[in-house]
mmCIF file of all heavy atoms in Angstrom:
data_model
loop_
_atom_site.group_PDB
_atom_site.id
_atom_site.type_symbol
_atom_site.label_atom_id
_atom_site.label_comp_id
_atom_site.label_asym_id
_atom_site.label_seq_id
_atom_site.Cartn_x
_atom_site.Cartn_y
_atom_site.Cartn_z
ATOM 1 N N TRP A 106 234.020 123.300 133.083
ATOM 2 C CA TRP A 106 233.943 122.271 134.125
ATOM 3 C C TRP A 106 235.086 121.274 134.015
ATOM 4 O O TRP A 106 235.528 120.712 135.022
ATOM 5 C CB TRP A 106 232.603 121.553 134.057
ATOM 6 C CG TRP A 106 231.498 122.311 134.708
ATOM 7 C CD1 TRP A 106 230.575 123.114 134.112
ATOM 8 C CD2 TRP A 106 231.212 122.350 136.106
ATOM 9 N NE1 TRP A 106 229.730 123.656 135.039
ATOM 10 C CE2 TRP A 106 230.094 123.198 136.283
ATOM 11 C CE3 TRP A 106 231.775 121.757 137.230
ATOM 12 C CZ2 TRP A 106 229.541 123.465 137.534
ATOM 13 C CZ3 TRP A 106 231.224 122.025 138.477
ATOM 14 C CH2 TRP A 106 230.127 122.857 138.619
ATOM 15 N N ALA A 109 237.852 122.985 135.760
ATOM 16 C CA ALA A 109 237.614 122.967 137.206
ATOM 17 C C ALA A 109 237.877 121.593 137.807
ATOM 18 O O ALA A 109 238.314 121.479 138.962
ATOM 19 C CB ALA A 109 236.182 123.402 137.506
ATOM 20 N N ALA A 110 237.648 120.536 137.038
ATOM 21 C CA ALA A 110 237.842 119.179 137.567
ATOM 22 C C ALA A 110 239.311 118.847 137.786
ATOM 23 O O ALA A 110 239.620 117.887 138.506
ATOM 24 C CB ALA A 110 237.220 118.158 136.618
ATOM 25 N N THR A 111 240.217 119.615 137.191
ATOM 26 C CA THR A 111 241.649 119.354 137.370
ATOM 27 C C THR A 111 242.265 120.153 138.506
ATOM 28 O O THR A 111 243.455 119.979 138.793
ATOM 29 C CB THR A 111 242.399 119.674 136.065
ATOM 30 O OG1 THR A 111 242.186 121.062 135.740
ATOM 31 C CG2 THR A 111 241.892 118.806 134.915
ATOM 32 N N ASP A 112 241.491 121.017 139.140
ATOM 33 C CA ASP A 112 242.022 121.848 140.221
ATOM 34 C C ASP A 112 242.107 121.024 141.510
ATOM 35 O O ASP A 112 241.136 120.389 141.915
ATOM 36 C CB ASP A 112 241.131 123.067 140.433
ATOM 37 C CG ASP A 112 241.680 123.979 141.521
ATOM 38 O OD1 ASP A 112 242.805 124.465 141.372
ATOM 39 O OD2 ASP A 112 240.976 124.168 142.532
ATOM 40 N N ARG A 113 243.269 121.047 142.150
ATOM 41 C CA ARG A 113 243.473 120.291 143.379
ATOM 42 C C ARG A 113 243.724 121.178 144.599
ATOM 43 O O ARG A 113 243.930 120.657 145.685
ATOM 44 C CB ARG A 113 244.664 119.334 143.209
ATOM 45 C CG ARG A 113 244.424 118.282 142.150
ATOM 46 C CD ARG A 113 245.540 117.274 142.132
ATOM 47 N NE ARG A 113 245.284 116.231 141.141
ATOM 48 C CZ ARG A 113 246.085 115.184 140.940
ATOM 49 N NH1 ARG A 113 247.199 115.074 141.662
ATOM 50 N NH2 ARG A 113 245.785 114.283 140.041
ATOM 51 N N ARG A 114 243.707 122.453 144.418
ATOM 52 C CA ARG A 114 243.929 123.358 145.550
ATOM 53 C C ARG A 114 242.614 123.792 146.184
ATOM 54 O O ARG A 114 242.493 123.827 147.408
ATOM 55 C CB ARG A 114 244.723 124.583 145.087
ATOM 56 C CG ARG A 114 246.163 124.270 144.725
ATOM 57 C CD ARG A 114 246.961 125.551 144.532
ATOM 58 N NE ARG A 114 248.378 125.264 144.312
ATOM 59 C CZ ARG A 114 249.314 126.209 144.201
ATOM 60 N NH1 ARG A 114 248.966 127.483 144.276
ATOM 61 N NH2 ARG A 114 250.570 125.863 144.007
ATOM 62 N N LEU A 115 241.665 124.130 145.355
ATOM 63 C CA LEU A 115 240.380 124.596 145.876
ATOM 64 C C LEU A 115 239.362 123.473 146.036
ATOM 65 O O LEU A 115 238.469 123.565 146.876
ATOM 66 C CB LEU A 115 239.801 125.684 144.958
ATOM 67 C CG LEU A 115 240.652 126.942 144.779
ATOM 68 C CD1 LEU A 115 239.971 127.891 143.803
ATOM 69 C CD2 LEU A 115 240.886 127.631 146.119
ATOM 70 N N LEU A 116 239.482 122.425 145.231
ATOM 71 C CA LEU A 116 238.502 121.342 145.248
ATOM 72 C C LEU A 116 239.098 120.083 145.849
ATOM 73 O O LEU A 116 240.253 119.746 145.579
ATOM 74 C CB LEU A 116 238.002 121.042 143.823
ATOM 75 C CG LEU A 116 237.313 122.188 143.072
ATOM 76 C CD1 LEU A 116 236.888 121.717 141.696
ATOM 77 C CD2 LEU A 116 236.118 122.713 143.854
ATOM 78 N N GLY A 117 238.296 119.397 146.652
ATOM 79 C CA GLY A 117 238.693 118.098 147.165
ATOM 80 C C GLY A 117 238.399 116.997 146.170
ATOM 81 O O GLY A 117 237.920 117.236 145.051
ATOM 82 N N SER A 118 238.678 115.753 146.574
ATOM 83 C CA SER A 118 238.470 114.630 145.659
ATOM 84 C C SER A 118 236.994 114.451 145.320
ATOM 85 O O SER A 118 236.637 114.190 144.164
ATOM 86 C CB SER A 118 239.025 113.348 146.288
ATOM 87 O OG SER A 118 238.390 113.090 147.543
ATOM 88 N N ALA A 119 236.123 114.600 146.332
ATOM 89 C CA ALA A 119 234.691 114.438 146.071
ATOM 90 C C ALA A 119 234.171 115.527 145.139
ATOM 91 O O ALA A 119 233.371 115.265 144.237
ATOM 92 C CB ALA A 119 233.914 114.453 147.388
ATOM 93 N N HIS A 120 234.643 116.761 145.327
ATOM 94 C CA HIS A 120 234.208 117.859 144.461
ATOM 95 C C HIS A 120 234.751 117.687 143.040
ATOM 96 O O HIS A 120 234.084 118.050 142.063
ATOM 97 C CB HIS A 120 234.660 119.200 145.043
ATOM 98 C CG HIS A 120 234.057 119.512 146.368
ATOM 99 N ND1 HIS A 120 234.636 119.110 147.546
ATOM 100 C CD2 HIS A 120 232.908 120.161 146.705
ATOM 101 C CE1 HIS A 120 233.889 119.526 148.557
ATOM 102 N NE2 HIS A 120 232.836 120.156 148.090
ATOM 103 N N ARG A 121 235.948 117.144 142.912
ATOM 104 C CA ARG A 121 236.490 116.909 141.562
ATOM 105 C C ARG A 121 235.690 115.835 140.837
ATOM 106 O O ARG A 121 235.456 115.936 139.628
ATOM 107 C CB ARG A 121 237.963 116.510 141.650
ATOM 108 C CG ARG A 121 238.881 117.652 142.053
ATOM 109 C CD ARG A 121 240.329 117.344 141.682
ATOM 110 N NE ARG A 121 240.802 116.123 142.299
ATOM 111 C CZ ARG A 121 241.373 116.062 143.502
ATOM 112 N NH1 ARG A 121 241.527 117.167 144.214
ATOM 113 N NH2 ARG A 121 241.795 114.914 144.008
ATOM 114 N N LEU A 122 235.273 114.814 141.566
ATOM 115 C CA LEU A 122 234.433 113.789 140.941
ATOM 116 C C LEU A 122 233.095 114.373 140.491
ATOM 117 O O LEU A 122 232.590 114.031 139.414
ATOM 118 C CB LEU A 122 234.200 112.636 141.921
ATOM 119 C CG LEU A 122 235.409 111.741 142.220
ATOM 120 C CD1 LEU A 122 235.063 110.730 143.298
ATOM 121 C CD2 LEU A 122 235.887 111.039 140.953
ATOM 122 N N LEU A 123 232.543 115.255 141.316
ATOM 123 C CA LEU A 123 231.301 115.913 140.924
ATOM 124 C C LEU A 123 231.502 116.787 139.688
ATOM 125 O O LEU A 123 230.674 116.794 138.767
ATOM 126 C CB LEU A 123 230.784 116.757 142.090
ATOM 127 C CG LEU A 123 229.507 117.562 141.834
ATOM 128 C CD1 LEU A 123 228.352 116.636 141.502
ATOM 129 C CD2 LEU A 123 229.167 118.428 143.039
ATOM 130 N N ALA A 124 232.619 117.510 139.655
ATOM 131 C CA ALA A 124 232.907 118.347 138.487
ATOM 132 C C ALA A 124 233.101 117.498 137.232
ATOM 133 O O ALA A 124 232.667 117.891 136.140
ATOM 134 C CB ALA A 124 234.152 119.190 138.757
ATOM 135 N N GLN A 125 233.722 116.334 137.363
ATOM 136 C CA GLN A 125 233.877 115.448 136.208
ATOM 137 C C GLN A 125 232.525 114.946 135.706
ATOM 138 O O GLN A 125 232.303 114.841 134.489
ATOM 139 C CB GLN A 125 234.770 114.276 136.587
ATOM 140 C CG GLN A 125 236.227 114.650 136.785
ATOM 141 C CD GLN A 125 237.070 113.466 137.218
ATOM 142 O OE1 GLN A 125 236.585 112.329 137.268
ATOM 143 N NE2 GLN A 125 238.335 113.717 137.532
ATOM 144 N N GLY A 126 231.610 114.643 136.648
ATOM 145 C CA GLY A 126 230.280 114.208 136.228
ATOM 146 C C GLY A 126 229.528 115.296 135.479
ATOM 147 O O GLY A 126 228.892 115.040 134.445
ATOM 148 N N VAL A 127 229.603 116.534 135.983
ATOM 149 C CA VAL A 127 228.957 117.655 135.288
ATOM 150 C C VAL A 127 229.615 117.890 133.922
ATOM 151 O O VAL A 127 228.938 118.172 132.927
ATOM 152 C CB VAL A 127 229.021 118.917 136.160
ATOM 153 C CG1 VAL A 127 228.429 120.111 135.425
ATOM 154 C CG2 VAL A 127 228.286 118.701 137.476
ATOM 155 N N HIS A 128 230.942 117.749 133.878
ATOM 156 C CA HIS A 128 231.686 117.912 132.625
ATOM 157 C C HIS A 128 231.210 116.919 131.568
ATOM 158 O O HIS A 128 230.964 117.287 130.403
ATOM 159 C CB HIS A 128 233.177 117.738 132.928
ATOM 160 C CG HIS A 128 234.043 117.596 131.729
ATOM 161 N ND1 HIS A 128 234.340 118.648 130.883
ATOM 162 C CD2 HIS A 128 234.698 116.508 131.219
ATOM 163 C CE1 HIS A 128 235.116 118.220 129.910
ATOM 164 N NE2 HIS A 128 235.356 116.929 130.088
#
Side-chain angles (χ1 to χ4, degrees):
W106 280 98
T111 60
D112 182 60
R113 296 187 178 182
R114 291 191 174 184
L115 300 178
L116 300 180
S118 58
H120 297 89
R121 289 199 302 271
L122 289 175
L123 178 61
Q125 289 178 6
V127 177
H128 168 73

